[in-house]
Amino acid sequence: MTGTTVCRTVVAIALTATLAGLTGCTSSGGPADGGPGGSAPPAATPQPSAPSSTAPPAPSLTGPSAEALRAVERATGRAGSARVESTTVMGSELSLKAAGALGWRDDGLTGTLTITYTGGTTAETMRRLGTTAMEARYLPDAYYAEVGDEFADRVGGRHWIKYVYEDLEDLGGDAGAGFADQMRNTTPNQAVKLLLTAEDVRRVGEEKTRGRRTTHWTGTVGGATAQTVDIWVDDRDLLVKKVERGRTENGELTQTAYYSEYGVTVSAERPPAADTADFKELLASQGG
């Protein structure tokens, strides 16, 4: 790989993996031409894993089901934080798992996830570059993606890439702005908000989820690009499990996430400035 290709690979993969570790497949968009290793601007890459770039439309659901789901939305929102474990499969492109703790308050998303690449063409590219896992740190104004030593050698010796949300808004038109919104607004109760827009939402029944008694809800969202959303809720109206399924140009996209320890203390420190490369500067240095 040339230095320019490696740099684009770094930012594209970090964008895709960091968002995929957070969210499901609630976007209808497919990947833009020129993914990791290509020549397209990297900000176009995350679309297949992104949630809806704007707030869901006004709820169409009414009646007892709507009341029950709104109680879940409120309880999960008030909890403010949780431990998260998730697996994501993006067709043949990328499979990964993520674990950590995330917080959602008025000032935005915070927390830290460890993201491990488990399969797919993107994971193979990462392994060739000496990286099989990364740490992602989310702060209200930006998020940081860690890269391995071999990557760091090709981007000035720095091990972290910083993505300022305001900078992302300047890239790729609506896609860039949408991605910034997604990163700032992604919380577990987004799945509940989506279900509130589904006309076919239904209560499946009571099930055991990791040893806990839960109520299973399911529905289809997205209209012509339909995706399914399933959630499992405990007796405190808190989300325990979420599964989202959809399609991208690279095939099926599925994410399964588990939530526990609501209210856990969450922290995320900014990496040392001397060991951090700015995404916007990296892109500018290669004429992006």
Side-chain angles (χ1 to χ4, degrees), residues 179-257:
F179 182 71
D181 285 343
Q182 292 153 21
M183 293 300 299
R184 284 183 293 215
N185 299 328
T186 297
T187 63
N189 59 346
Q190 292 299 315
V192 186
K193 292 182 179 181
L194 283 166
L195 276 182
L196 284 165
T197 71
E199 295 182 358
D200 64 347
V201 67
R202 64 186 176 89
R203 182 182 183 276
V204 178
E206 304 233 340
E207 300 176 12
K208 281 290 186 70
T209 305
R210 292 195 164 181
R212 299 164 65 181
R213 191 174 73 175
T214 60
T215 301
H216 179 186
W217 295 85
T218 188
T220 306
V221 300
T225 54
Q227 299 134 1
T228 61
V229 178
D230 289 75
I231 64 171
W232 287 257
V233 180
D234 68 12
D235 58 6
R236 298 181 298 161
D237 289 330
L238 293 173
L239 215 63
V240 175
K241 178 183 177 181
K242 176 196 72 173
V243 177
E244 297 186 31
R245 298 181 180 90
R247 287 197 62 82
T248 74
E249 293 178 7
N250 292 324
E252 296 286 343
L253 194 153
T254 303
Q255 186 192 63
T256 301

Side-chain angles (χ1 to χ4, degrees), residues 258-279:
Y258 292 91
Y259 304 95
S260 62
E261 295 186 45
Y262 279 93
V264 66
T265 300
V266 173
S267 63
E269 295 183 2
R270 297 184 191 275
D275 199 24
T276 301
D278 185 273
F279 161 76

Side-chain angles (χ1 to χ4, degrees), residues 24-204:
C25 48
T26 49
S27 167
S28 59
D33 292 337
S39 59
T45 304
Q47 292 183 30
S49 65
S52 174
S53 61
T54 57
S60 59
L61 188 65
T62 59
S65 293
E67 293 174 7
L69 289 174
R70 288 193 185 100
V72 175
E73 179 189 358
R74 289 192 297 269
T76 303
R78 284 196 303 265
S81 65
R83 294 201 181 279
V84 183
E85 300 172 54
S86 70
T87 58
T88 303
V89 179
M90 298 170 58
S92 60
E93 181 183 354
L94 178 65
S95 298
L96 57 83
K97 61 182 181 180
L102 295 175
W104 49 95
R105 298 290 184 186
D106 292 340
D107 61 347
L109 188 74
T110 59
T112 302
L113 293 179
T114 298
I115 299 171
T116 303
Y117 308 105
T118 57
T121 54
T122 298
E124 292 171 5
T125 300
M126 295 296 286
R127 278 193 288 269
R128 288 197 298 270
L129 291 169
T131 298
T132 58
M134 62 174 274
E135 182 176 307
R137 299 182 185 178
Y138 306 90
L139 289 99
D141 63 325
Y143 78 93
Y144 297 78
E146 185 185 32
V147 298
D149 289 340
E150 189 167 344
F151 264 56
D153 288 344
R154 303 187 189 210
V155 290
R158 290 166 291 181
H159 292 83
W160 293 87
I161 301 174
K162 176 183 179 180
Y163 299 85
V164 177
Y165 302 133
E166 289 184 357
D167 292 342
L168 292 176
E169 290 174 349
D170 296 334
L171 298 168
D174 290 342
F179 182 71
D181 285 343
Q182 292 153 21
M183 293 300 299
R184 284 183 293 215
N185 299 328
T186 297
T187 63
N189 59 346
Q190 292 299 315
V192 186
K193 292 182 179 181
L194 283 166
L195 276 182
L196 284 165
T197 71
E199 295 182 358
D200 64 347
V201 67
R202 64 186 176 89
R203 182 182 183 276
V204 178

